[in-house]
PDB file of all heavy atoms in Angstrom:
ATOM      1  N   TYR A 638      93.244  50.241 136.511  1.00 58.00           N
ATOM      2  CA  TYR A 638      93.600  49.503 137.702  1.00 58.00           C
ATOM      3  C   TYR A 638      93.820  48.001 137.374  1.00 58.00           C
ATOM      4  O   TYR A 638      94.133  47.225 138.325  1.00 58.00           O
ATOM      5  CB  TYR A 638      92.529  49.667 138.739  1.00 58.00           C
ATOM      6  CG  TYR A 638      91.154  49.111 138.227  1.00 58.00           C
ATOM      7  CD1 TYR A 638      90.730  47.792 138.609  1.00 58.00           C
ATOM      8  CD2 TYR A 638      90.316  49.910 137.506  1.00 58.00           C
ATOM      9  CE1 TYR A 638      89.552  47.346 138.216  1.00 58.00           C
ATOM     10  CE2 TYR A 638      89.150  49.393 137.010  1.00 58.00           C
ATOM     11  CZ  TYR A 638      88.706  48.104 137.371  1.00 58.00           C
ATOM     12  OH  TYR A 638      87.508  47.647 136.985  1.00 58.00           O
ATOM     13  N   LYS A 639      93.621  47.546 136.247  1.00 67.00           N
ATOM     14  CA  LYS A 639      93.857  46.171 135.950  1.00 67.00           C
ATOM     15  C   LYS A 639      94.409  45.899 134.580  1.00 67.00           C
ATOM     16  O   LYS A 639      94.126  46.730 133.647  1.00 67.00           O
ATOM     17  CB  LYS A 639      92.526  45.337 136.150  1.00 67.00           C
ATOM     18  CG  LYS A 639      91.501  45.603 135.077  1.00 67.00           C
ATOM     19  CD  LYS A 639      90.429  44.547 135.206  1.00 67.00           C
ATOM     20  CE  LYS A 639      89.289  44.847 134.275  1.00 67.00           C
ATOM     21  NZ  LYS A 639      89.486  44.426 132.850  1.00 67.00           N
ATOM     22  N   LYS A 640      95.088  44.804 134.468  1.00 77.00           N
ATOM     23  CA  LYS A 640      95.684  44.409 133.198  1.00 77.00           C
ATOM     24  C   LYS A 640      94.526  43.935 132.307  1.00 77.00           C
ATOM     25  O   LYS A 640      93.653  43.203 132.875  1.00 77.00           O
ATOM     26  CB  LYS A 640      96.707  43.319 133.396  1.00 77.00           C
ATOM     27  CG  LYS A 640      97.801  43.284 132.400  1.00 77.00           C
ATOM     28  CD  LYS A 640      98.907  42.357 132.875  1.00 77.00           C
ATOM     29  CE  LYS A 640      99.507  41.655 131.766  1.00 77.00           C
ATOM     30  NZ  LYS A 640      98.892  40.394 131.308  1.00 77.00           N
ATOM     31  N   ALA A 641      94.497  44.296 131.027  1.00 83.00           N
ATOM     32  CA  ALA A 641      93.411  43.814 130.157  1.00 83.00           C
ATOM     33  C   ALA A 641      93.521  42.258 130.008  1.00 83.00           C
ATOM     34  O   ALA A 641      94.604  41.713 129.906  1.00 83.00           O
ATOM     35  CB  ALA A 641      93.559  44.451 128.796  1.00 83.00           C
ATOM     36  N   LYS A 642      92.374  41.612 130.038  1.00 92.00           N
ATOM     37  CA  LYS A 642      92.307  40.204 129.848  1.00 92.00           C
ATOM     38  C   LYS A 642      92.547  39.794 128.367  1.00 92.00           C
ATOM     39  O   LYS A 642      92.171  40.548 127.497  1.00 92.00           O
ATOM     40  CB  LYS A 642      90.949  39.679 130.323  1.00 92.00           C
ATOM     41  CG  LYS A 642      90.750  39.737 131.768  1.00 92.00           C
ATOM     42  CD  LYS A 642      89.408  39.015 132.145  1.00 92.00           C
ATOM     43  CE  LYS A 642      89.253  38.958 133.679  1.00 92.00           C
ATOM     44  NZ  LYS A 642      89.259  40.382 134.220  1.00 92.00           N
ATOM     45  N   THR A 643      93.132  38.638 128.257  1.00 95.00           N
ATOM     46  CA  THR A 643      93.323  38.235 126.847  1.00 95.00           C
ATOM     47  C   THR A 643      91.982  37.728 126.264  1.00 95.00           C
ATOM     48  O   THR A 643      91.022  37.549 127.032  1.00 95.00           O
ATOM     49  CB  THR A 643      94.299  37.035 126.734  1.00 95.00           C
ATOM     50  OG1 THR A 643      93.681  35.908 127.351  1.00 95.00           O
ATOM     51  CG2 THR A 643      95.629  37.323 127.391  1.00 95.00           C
ATOM     52  N   LEU A 644      91.974  37.558 124.930  1.00 96.00           N
ATOM     53  CA  LEU A 644      90.804  37.099 124.276  1.00 96.00           C
ATOM     54  C   LEU A 644      90.305  35.768 124.811  1.00 96.00           C
ATOM     55  O   LEU A 644      89.100  35.600 125.129  1.00 96.00           O
ATOM     56  CB  LEU A 644      91.009  37.076 122.760  1.00 96.00           C
ATOM     57  CG  LEU A 644      89.833  36.741 121.893  1.00 96.00           C
ATOM     58  CD1 LEU A 644      88.650  37.724 122.077  1.00 96.00           C
ATOM     59  CD2 LEU A 644      90.233  36.784 120.320  1.00 96.00           C
ATOM     60  N   SER A 645      91.160  34.873 124.917  1.00 96.00           N
ATOM     61  CA  SER A 645      90.799  33.538 125.409  1.00 96.00           C
ATOM     62  C   SER A 645      90.303  33.563 126.868  1.00 96.00           C
ATOM     63  O   SER A 645      89.339  32.843 127.187  1.00 96.00           O
ATOM     64  CB  SER A 645      91.975  32.528 125.242  1.00 96.00           C
ATOM     65  OG  SER A 645      93.056  32.805 126.049  1.00 96.00           O
ATOM     66  N   GLU A 646      90.962  34.336 127.700  1.00 95.00           N
ATOM     67  CA  GLU A 646      90.462  34.482 129.097  1.00 95.00           C
ATOM     68  C   GLU A 646      89.078  35.082 129.085  1.00 95.00           C
ATOM     69  O   GLU A 646      88.228  34.566 129.855  1.00 95.00           O
ATOM     70  CB  GLU A 646      91.395  35.453 129.900  1.00 95.00           C
ATOM     71  CG  GLU A 646      92.744  34.858 130.311  1.00 95.00           C
ATOM     72  CD  GLU A 646      93.711  35.923 130.819  1.00 95.00           C
ATOM     73  OE1 GLU A 646      93.456  37.127 130.594  1.00 95.00           O
ATOM     74  OE2 GLU A 646      94.710  35.522 131.402  1.00 95.00           O
ATOM     75  N   SER A 647      88.869  36.053 128.293  1.00 96.00           N
ATOM     76  CA  SER A 647      87.478  36.754 128.298  1.00 96.00           C
ATOM     77  C   SER A 647      86.405  35.700 127.756  1.00 96.00           C
ATOM     78  O   SER A 647      85.324  35.736 128.300  1.00 96.00           O
ATOM     79  CB  SER A 647      87.532  37.992 127.331  1.00 96.00           C
ATOM     80  OG  SER A 647      88.600  38.812 127.827  1.00 96.00           O
ATOM     81  N   VAL A 648      86.737  34.962 126.716  1.00 97.00           N
ATOM     82  CA  VAL A 648      85.782  34.060 126.205  1.00 97.00           C
ATOM     83  C   VAL A 648      85.478  32.993 127.249  1.00 97.00           C
ATOM     84  O   VAL A 648      84.364  32.617 127.478  1.00 97.00           O
ATOM     85  CB  VAL A 648      86.309  33.395 124.908  1.00 97.00           C
ATOM     86  CG1 VAL A 648      85.452  32.192 124.467  1.00 97.00           C
ATOM     87  CG2 VAL A 648      86.290  34.430 123.763  1.00 97.00           C
ATOM     88  N   LYS A 649      86.521  32.555 127.990  1.00 96.00           N
ATOM     89  CA  LYS A 649      86.420  31.531 128.994  1.00 96.00           C
ATOM     90  C   LYS A 649      85.410  32.064 130.087  1.00 96.00           C
ATOM     91  O   LYS A 649      84.495  31.386 130.536  1.00 96.00           O
ATOM     92  CB  LYS A 649      87.665  31.200 129.626  1.00 96.00           C
ATOM     93  CG  LYS A 649      87.645  29.997 130.550  1.00 96.00           C
ATOM     94  CD  LYS A 649      89.026  29.632 131.040  1.00 96.00           C
ATOM     95  CE  LYS A 649      88.894  28.334 131.873  1.00 96.00           C
ATOM     96  NZ  LYS A 649      90.204  27.847 132.359  1.00 96.00           N
ATOM     97  N   ILE A 650      85.593  33.311 130.564  1.00 96.00           N
ATOM     98  CA  ILE A 650      84.764  33.883 131.564  1.00 96.00           C
ATOM     99  C   ILE A 650      83.332  33.969 131.057  1.00 96.00           C
ATOM    100  O   ILE A 650      82.353  33.657 131.748  1.00 96.00           O
ATOM    101  CB  ILE A 650      85.290  35.255 132.059  1.00 96.00           C
ATOM    102  CG1 ILE A 650      86.651  35.005 132.709  1.00 96.00           C
ATOM    103  CG2 ILE A 650      84.339  35.887 133.061  1.00 96.00           C
ATOM    104  CD1 ILE A 650      87.422  36.290 133.037  1.00 96.00           C
ATOM    105  N   LEU A 651      83.235  34.379 129.794  1.00 97.00           N
ATOM    106  CA  LEU A 651      81.907  34.545 129.220  1.00 97.00           C
ATOM    107  C   LEU A 651      81.201  33.210 129.190  1.00 97.00           C
ATOM    108  O   LEU A 651      79.952  33.148 129.352  1.00 97.00           O
ATOM    109  CB  LEU A 651      81.980  35.184 127.763  1.00 97.00           C
ATOM    110  CG  LEU A 651      80.709  35.690 127.137  1.00 97.00           C
ATOM    111  CD1 LEU A 651      80.147  36.831 127.968  1.00 97.00           C
ATOM    112  CD2 LEU A 651      80.885  36.102 125.735  1.00 97.00           C
ATOM    113  N   SER A 652      81.964  32.133 128.993  1.00 96.00           N
ATOM    114  CA  SER A 652      81.380  30.836 128.893  1.00 96.00           C
ATOM    115  C   SER A 652      80.733  30.417 130.262  1.00 96.00           C
ATOM    116  O   SER A 652      79.806  29.618 130.302  1.00 96.00           O
ATOM    117  CB  SER A 652      82.396  29.755 128.436  1.00 96.00           C
ATOM    118  OG  SER A 652      83.241  29.382 129.491  1.00 96.00           O
ATOM    119  N   PHE A 653      81.313  30.971 131.330  1.00 96.00           N
ATOM    120  CA  PHE A 653      80.706  30.674 132.652  1.00 96.00           C
ATOM    121  C   PHE A 653      79.351  31.291 132.777  1.00 96.00           C
ATOM    122  O   PHE A 653      78.430  30.772 133.424  1.00 96.00           O
ATOM    123  CB  PHE A 653      81.586  31.201 133.789  1.00 96.00           C
ATOM    124  CG  PHE A 653      82.982  30.474 133.914  1.00 96.00           C
ATOM    125  CD1 PHE A 653      84.083  31.301 134.232  1.00 96.00           C
ATOM    126  CD2 PHE A 653      83.147  29.194 133.493  1.00 96.00           C
ATOM    127  CE1 PHE A 653      85.340  30.654 134.310  1.00 96.00           C
ATOM    128  CE2 PHE A 653      84.383  28.577 133.521  1.00 96.00           C
ATOM    129  CZ  PHE A 653      85.476  29.290 133.922  1.00 96.00           C
ATOM    130  N   PHE A 654      79.174  32.487 132.202  1.00 97.00           N
ATOM    131  CA  PHE A 654      77.937  33.122 132.157  1.00 97.00           C
ATOM    132  C   PHE A 654      76.835  32.297 131.467  1.00 97.00           C
ATOM    133  O   PHE A 654      75.732  32.252 131.767  1.00 97.00           O
ATOM    134  CB  PHE A 654      77.983  34.570 131.514  1.00 97.00           C
ATOM    135  CG  PHE A 654      78.618  35.598 132.374  1.00 97.00           C
ATOM    136  CD1 PHE A 654      80.018  35.745 132.399  1.00 97.00           C
ATOM    137  CD2 PHE A 654      77.833  36.474 133.141  1.00 97.00           C
ATOM    138  CE1 PHE A 654      80.595  36.750 133.239  1.00 97.00           C
ATOM    139  CE2 PHE A 654      78.396  37.429 133.918  1.00 97.00           C
ATOM    140  CZ  PHE A 654      79.819  37.589 133.999  1.00 97.00           C
ATOM    141  N   LYS A 655      77.330  31.627 130.320  1.00 97.00           N
ATOM    142  CA  LYS A 655      76.465  30.737 129.645  1.00 97.00           C
ATOM    143  C   LYS A 655      76.062  29.567 130.516  1.00 97.00           C
ATOM    144  O   LYS A 655      74.897  29.193 130.644  1.00 97.00           O
ATOM    145  CB  LYS A 655      77.114  30.257 128.358  1.00 97.00           C
ATOM    146  CG  LYS A 655      76.430  29.144 127.615  1.00 97.00           C
ATOM    147  CD  LYS A 655      77.282  28.569 126.484  1.00 97.00           C
ATOM    148  CE  LYS A 655      76.684  27.217 126.016  1.00 97.00           C
ATOM    149  NZ  LYS A 655      77.443  26.619 124.912  1.00 97.00           N
ATOM    150  N   LYS A 656      77.162  28.923 131.133  1.00 96.00           N
ATOM    151  CA  LYS A 656      76.938  27.776 131.968  1.00 96.00           C
ATOM    152  C   LYS A 656      75.910  28.056 133.107  1.00 96.00           C
ATOM    153  O   LYS A 656      75.082  27.259 133.412  1.00 96.00           O
ATOM    154  CB  LYS A 656      78.285  27.287 132.534  1.00 96.00           C
ATOM    155  CG  LYS A 656      78.316  25.786 132.728  1.00 96.00           C
ATOM    156  CD  LYS A 656      79.739  25.355 133.007  1.00 96.00           C
ATOM    157  CE  LYS A 656      79.969  25.397 134.488  1.00 96.00           C
ATOM    158  NZ  LYS A 656      81.285  25.623 134.941  1.00 96.00           N
ATOM    159  N   ASP A 657      75.982  29.232 133.650  1.00 96.00           N
ATOM    160  CA  ASP A 657      75.140  29.605 134.801  1.00 96.00           C
ATOM    161  C   ASP A 657      73.833  30.101 134.389  1.00 96.00           C
ATOM    162  O   ASP A 657      72.941  30.446 135.159  1.00 96.00           O
ATOM    163  CB  ASP A 657      75.797  30.786 135.604  1.00 96.00           C
ATOM    164  CG  ASP A 657      77.114  30.314 136.220  1.00 96.00           C
ATOM    165  OD1 ASP A 657      77.369  29.047 136.375  1.00 96.00           O
ATOM    166  OD2 ASP A 657      77.920  31.162 136.622  1.00 96.00           O
ATOM    167  N   GLY A 658      73.509  30.086 133.019  1.00 96.00           N
ATOM    168  CA  GLY A 658      72.187  30.508 132.549  1.00 96.00           C
ATOM    169  C   GLY A 658      72.025  31.982 132.580  1.00 96.00           C
ATOM    170  O   GLY A 658      70.896  32.470 132.545  1.00 96.00           O
ATOM    171  N   HIS A 659      73.097  32.768 132.738  1.00 97.00           N
ATOM    172  CA  HIS A 659      72.966  34.179 132.731  1.00 97.00           C
ATOM    173  C   HIS A 659      72.780  34.821 131.369  1.00 97.00           C
ATOM    174  O   HIS A 659      71.957  35.725 131.176  1.00 97.00           O
ATOM    175  CB  HIS A 659      74.100  34.840 133.499  1.00 97.00           C
ATOM    176  CG  HIS A 659      74.162  34.610 134.945  1.00 97.00           C
ATOM    177  ND1 HIS A 659      74.960  35.325 135.782  1.00 97.00           N
ATOM    178  CD2 HIS A 659      73.453  33.786 135.718  1.00 97.00           C
ATOM    179  CE1 HIS A 659      74.698  34.949 137.048  1.00 97.00           C
ATOM    180  NE2 HIS A 659      73.785  33.993 136.972  1.00 97.00           N
ATOM    181  N   ILE A 660      73.549  34.207 130.437  1.00 97.00           N
ATOM    182  CA  ILE A 660      73.354  34.713 129.047  1.00 97.00           C
ATOM    183  C   ILE A 660      72.827  33.616 128.133  1.00 97.00           C
ATOM    184  O   ILE A 660      72.824  32.441 128.512  1.00 97.00           O
ATOM    185  CB  ILE A 660      74.708  35.265 128.489  1.00 97.00           C
ATOM    186  CG1 ILE A 660      75.833  34.204 128.518  1.00 97.00           C
ATOM    187  CG2 ILE A 660      75.143  36.554 129.239  1.00 97.00           C
ATOM    188  CD1 ILE A 660      77.025  34.562 127.655  1.00 97.00           C
ATOM    189  N   ASP A 661      72.395  34.004 126.952  1.00 97.00           N
ATOM    190  CA  ASP A 661      71.798  33.053 126.023  1.00 97.00           C
ATOM    191  C   ASP A 661      72.874  32.182 125.415  1.00 97.00           C
ATOM    192  O   ASP A 661      73.828  32.711 124.750  1.00 97.00           O
ATOM    193  CB  ASP A 661      71.077  33.865 124.939  1.00 97.00           C
ATOM    194  CG  ASP A 661      70.242  32.938 124.033  1.00 97.00           C
ATOM    195  OD1 ASP A 661      70.944  32.197 123.320  1.00 97.00           O
ATOM    196  OD2 ASP A 661      69.045  32.936 123.999  1.00 97.00           O
ATOM    197  N   GLY A 662      72.759  30.898 125.556  1.00 96.00           N
ATOM    198  CA  GLY A 662      73.763  29.959 125.088  1.00 96.00           C
ATOM    199  C   GLY A 662      73.811  30.018 123.505  1.00 96.00           C
ATOM    200  O   GLY A 662      74.971  29.863 122.958  1.00 96.00           O
ATOM    201  N   ASP A 663      72.748  30.194 122.827  1.00 97.00           N
ATOM    202  CA  ASP A 663      72.789  30.196 121.403  1.00 97.00           C
ATOM    203  C   ASP A 663      73.441  31.422 120.876  1.00 97.00           C
ATOM    204  O   ASP A 663      74.179  31.347 119.904  1.00 97.00           O
ATOM    205  CB  ASP A 663      71.316  30.207 120.804  1.00 97.00           C
ATOM    206  CG  ASP A 663      70.526  28.886 121.235  1.00 97.00           C
ATOM    207  OD1 ASP A 663      71.169  27.824 121.272  1.00 97.00           O
ATOM    208  OD2 ASP A 663      69.306  28.952 121.483  1.00 97.00           O
ATOM    209  N   ILE A 664      73.264  32.475 121.546  1.00 98.00           N
ATOM    210  CA  ILE A 664      73.942  33.734 121.142  1.00 98.00           C
ATOM    211  C   ILE A 664      75.438  33.663 121.459  1.00 98.00           C
ATOM    212  O   ILE A 664      76.290  34.043 120.604  1.00 98.00           O
ATOM    213  CB  ILE A 664      73.268  35.022 121.801  1.00 98.00           C
ATOM    214  CG1 ILE A 664      71.941  35.180 121.096  1.00 98.00           C
ATOM    215  CG2 ILE A 664      74.111  36.207 121.559  1.00 98.00           C
ATOM    216  CD1 ILE A 664      70.995  36.149 121.774  1.00 98.00           C
ATOM    217  N   PHE A 665      75.732  33.096 122.587  1.00 97.00           N
ATOM    218  CA  PHE A 665      77.150  32.899 122.867  1.00 97.00           C
ATOM    219  C   PHE A 665      77.801  31.966 121.823  1.00 97.00           C
ATOM    220  O   PHE A 665      78.904  32.299 121.317  1.00 97.00           O
ATOM    221  CB  PHE A 665      77.317  32.218 124.317  1.00 97.00           C
ATOM    222  CG  PHE A 665      78.704  31.798 124.620  1.00 97.00           C
ATOM    223  CD1 PHE A 665      79.581  32.645 125.158  1.00 97.00           C
ATOM    224  CD2 PHE A 665      79.066  30.386 124.395  1.00 97.00           C
ATOM    225  CE1 PHE A 665      80.926  32.233 125.451  1.00 97.00           C
ATOM    226  CE2 PHE A 665      80.375  30.062 124.703  1.00 97.00           C
ATOM    227  CZ  PHE A 665      81.306  30.936 125.208  1.00 97.00           C
ATOM    228  N   ASP A 666      77.105  30.855 121.496  1.00 97.00           N
ATOM    229  CA  ASP A 666      77.697  30.010 120.441  1.00 97.00           C
ATOM    230  C   ASP A 666      77.868  30.668 119.121  1.00 97.00           C
ATOM    231  O   ASP A 666      78.889  30.551 118.438  1.00 97.00           O
ATOM    232  CB  ASP A 666      76.746  28.804 120.195  1.00 97.00           C
ATOM    233  CG  ASP A 666      76.822  27.795 121.420  1.00 97.00           C
ATOM    234  OD1 ASP A 666      77.576  28.108 122.365  1.00 97.00           O
ATOM    235  OD2 ASP A 666      76.147  26.784 121.363  1.00 97.00           O
ATOM    236  N   LEU A 667      76.855  31.541 118.777  1.00 97.00           N
ATOM    237  CA  LEU A 667      76.865  32.220 117.476  1.00 97.00           C
ATOM    238  C   LEU A 667      78.105  33.280 117.549  1.00 97.00           C
ATOM    239  O   LEU A 667      78.803  33.401 116.535  1.00 97.00           O
ATOM    240  CB  LEU A 667      75.604  32.952 117.226  1.00 97.00           C
ATOM    241  CG  LEU A 667      75.541  33.755 115.956  1.00 97.00           C
ATOM    242  CD1 LEU A 667      75.517  32.954 114.770  1.00 97.00           C
ATOM    243  CD2 LEU A 667      74.318  34.754 116.003  1.00 97.00           C
TER     244      LEU A 667
END
Side-chain angles (χ1 to χ4, degrees):
Y638 62 98
K639 71 168 172 78
K640 208 170 146 270
K642 288 186 178 58
T643 65
L644 184 57
S645 65
E646 285 168 345
S647 306
V648 169
K649 189 174 184 177
I650 297 170
L651 194 65
S652 78
F653 297 146
F654 284 85
K655 168 190 167 181
K656 210 170 89 208
D657 295 342
H659 285 194
I660 58 166
D661 185 296
D663 296 327
I664 289 166
F665 172 82
D666 287 1
L667 178 70

